[in-house]
Amino acid sequence: MKKIALSILLSGISLFSVFCHSKTIMLVLGSADPKVLDERIQIALRLYKIQTFDDIIVSGGCAAHGSTICEASRMFDQMKASGIPPEIIHKEENAKTTVQNYIFSRVLENESGERIMQPGDTVFVVSNHWHAVSVAARLQKYDGVVARFFIEGSQQPKETDKLDYVNILNGEIDNEKFIAKGTWLTPDAVWSKNDSIYYLIGTLLYVSNPDNTSYSVKKLSLEMDVLKSLELEKDLHFIDDGKQWVIWDGAKLQTLDKSSGRKGAPFDWHELLRNAPESWKHSMNTGFIQEGSLYLFSDSKLLIAKKKGKYYDFVTESSADQYFKSWPFGWGKSNVNAASIDQQTKEIQLYRNMEVLSLDLKKRTVKQVKPLRLKWVNY
């Protein structure tokens, strides 16, 4: 009787999706517990048999809560082995919390650089736990999708659980602030000026003193600063070149002087990088230029190019975990969100999920990884 009722319910949802929306997406929430994760994979596979999906997002990073698994990769491999076409499965490999499942999945892009979730799409959030309700509710309220939750299992919240899943939806109505806090300060760009360290996060500017004892957060539109001339509503990617950035907005590149804020004339991707795989135009997250070499990072790859005249010529494509010794497991294969070069020490630092990593380029090794100990303040 329960199976019949479930079948009727899903049939109704399926018909609603087909007639009202052009695309249907499954979002599977990961877990650091292998047994829990495998259970969620099986739930997703059962749903896939009775519902047609255009895309599937598997969300979960590496080493969350000290685990020894990469959640998205494990989900991808098992789904592929079960017969789901790999081209419709997209790995979101940053998330280490339920909030981050929401934050990073909502903006995940396909190989063409287009967001997988679009307003008007139907999104099924899949789990064996009731946190799927909160993620579905936030997607529907703030991202313009028709969200459904699909939950099986008997997992119950523990008395020691500190996370209030209802608070995920109702605790913060400013979605930009919710996203910024939930990423644990994952910056898009980092720079220093006048004894302050600046972290750009979307359209927010976080400012800290070198000792991390004084903080401020403000809307960049209210800040007369070096980035005031940028269109921050666009998805910008920063390549640090010491005294300036080379900024990619998905269509054009442009240089920006860190001190004066002076912008250069827009130019094409191939005027910077030649002979590289075309996919890098859509997959590049960040990068840096040092000693005549260009290093670019995507979610899973590292690109290296050498300067030749006024261009950089493609040399090799690898992954950070293969190229740099002691690359931390929790950072995946190359998963970097921002890169910065200290103008005085020339030290290269990489940022993601409230951590900062220092590189030794000559030795091709990771010098250290440490927490980015910053606090959020009201603004």
Side-chain angles (χ1 to χ4, degrees):
M1 191 66 183
K2 290 182 179 179
K3 291 183 179 180
I4 296 174
L6 177 61
S7 177
I8 293 172
L9 173 62
L10 288 173
S11 297
I13 293 174
S14 178
L15 288 173
F16 182 81
S17 305
V18 169
F19 285 110
C20 298
H21 304 283
S22 59
K23 194 165 57 167
T24 305
I25 300 165
M26 183 194 302
L27 168 59
V28 189
L29 307 183
S31 172
D33 185 324
K35 292 182 179 179
V36 174
L37 184 62
D38 290 345
E39 184 177 343
R40 292 178 186 177
I41 296 169
Q42 293 305 312
I43 294 168
L45 292 174
R46 288 195 289 274
L47 177 59
Y48 182 79
K49 291 180 180 179
I50 56 176
Q51 167 71 48
T52 300
F53 289 98
D54 300 288
D55 291 288
I56 297 174
I57 297 173
V58 287
S59 175
C62 301
H65 310 297
S67 74
T68 58
I69 60 174
C70 288
E71 299 163 31
S73 294
R74 189 181 182 109
M75 289 188 278
F76 179 93
D77 291 343
Q78 290 193 32
M79 287 183 171
K80 179 181 176 181
S82 298
I84 297 180
E87 60 270 18
I88 73 167
I89 310 173
H90 309 274
K91 293 192 288 185
E92 184 291 296
E93 299 181 288
N94 283 307
K96 294 188 176 182
T97 66
T98 296
V99 170
Q100 290 185 355
N101 288 140
Y102 164 75
I103 289 170
F104 295 126
S105 296
R106 64 188 285 278
V107 295
L108 190 66
E109 297 179 348
N110 59 24
E111 292 184 355
S112 300
E114 300 172 339
R115 288 193 179 183
I116 297 168
M117 288 189 195
Q118 298 286 344
D121 288 344
T122 296
V123 180
F124 285 78
V125 183
V126 177
S127 183
N128 66 340
H129 195 279
W130 61 297
H131 64 166
V133 178
S134 300
V135 175
R138 193 148 196 115
L139 282 168
Q140 180 153 315
K141 184 173 182 179
Y142 293 100
D143 297 280
V145 303
V146 177
R148 301 284 184 259
F149 50 86
F150 186 81
I151 304 170
E152 287 186 19
S154 58
Q155 187 171 343
Q156 298 292 319
K158 302 174 184 178
E159 291 183 3
T160 55
D161 282 349
K162 296 181 179 180
L163 184 59
D164 180 357
Y165 292 117
V166 176
N167 198 49
I168 289 177
L169 176 64
N170 298 320
E172 180 58 73
I173 61 173
D174 184 330
N175 205 41
E176 185 178 30
K177 185 186 293 187
F178 178 83
I179 290 167
K181 289 181 177 180
T183 56
W184 299 342
L185 193 61
T186 299
D188 301 310
V190 181
W191 71 103
S192 300
K193 183 180 177 182
N194 298 331
D195 295 324
S196 294
I197 303 174
Y198 293 80
Y199 302 88
L200 176 69
I201 309 169
T203 60
L204 296 177
L205 193 63
Y206 190 110
V207 186
S208 170
N209 66 350
D211 297 328
N212 291 336
T213 57
S214 175
Y215 316 89
S216 68
V217 182
K218 59 192 73 178
K219 293 276 189 179
L220 194 65
S221 58
L222 303 177
E223 173 74 7
M224 297 301 292
D225 197 79
V226 65
L227 299 178
K228 64 187 178 186
S229 61
L230 294 180
E231 297 180 63
L232 293 172
E233 292 75 17
K234 293 184 177 180
D235 188 15
L236 302 181
H237 303 272
F238 291 77
I239 302 171
D240 199 319
D241 191 10
K243 294 183 179 180
Q244 68 174 12
W245 290 291
V246 180
I247 303 174
W248 172 245
D249 67 4
K252 291 286 185 178
L253 289 158
Q254 197 165 34
T255 60
L256 181 71
D257 187 277
K258 292 181 182 179
S259 298
S260 66
R262 185 175 61 253
K263 293 195 299 185
F267 57 100
D268 292 330
W269 178 266
H270 296 292
E271 294 180 77
L272 173 72
L273 178 61
R274 300 187 300 184
N275 306 319
E278 195 72 10
S279 61
W280 277 92
K281 291 175 64 175
H282 307 300
S283 63
M284 190 268 289
N285 292 332
T286 190
F288 63 88
I289 296 171
Q290 185 80 311
E291 298 179 352
S293 294
L294 169 67
Y295 298 79
L296 298 181
F297 296 86
S298 72
D299 286 347
S300 59
K301 295 180 181 179
L302 168 69
L303 178 147
I304 301 173
K306 295 288 186 181
K307 192 170 182 62
K308 189 173 183 181
K310 63 178 181 179
Y311 301 102
Y312 289 88
D313 278 346
F314 172 77
V315 174
T316 188
E317 185 180 73
S318 181
S319 60
D321 66 330
Q322 294 179 341
Y323 187 81
F324 295 108
K325 299 175 185 176
S326 305
W327 186 260
F329 175 72
W331 284 52
K333 292 183 177 295
S334 293
N335 211 331
V336 178
N337 201 70
S340 71
I341 300 175
D342 188 299
Q343 293 189 38
Q344 293 183 343
T345 66
K346 302 302 180 184
E347 185 175 69
I348 297 160
Q349 295 186 319
L350 308 179
Y351 298 83
R352 74 180 296 271
N353 266 15
M354 209 59 173
E355 289 184 327
V356 56
L357 177 155
S358 298
L359 287 178
D360 186 326
L361 268 187
K362 291 183 179 179
K363 295 182 179 180
R364 287 174 49 175
T365 189
V366 173
K367 293 168 61 176
Q368 64 174 343
V369 182
K370 60 183 181 181
L372 196 58
R373 298 191 183 282
L374 299 171
K375 297 179 181 178
W376 274 106
V377 294
N378 293 326
Y379 64 93

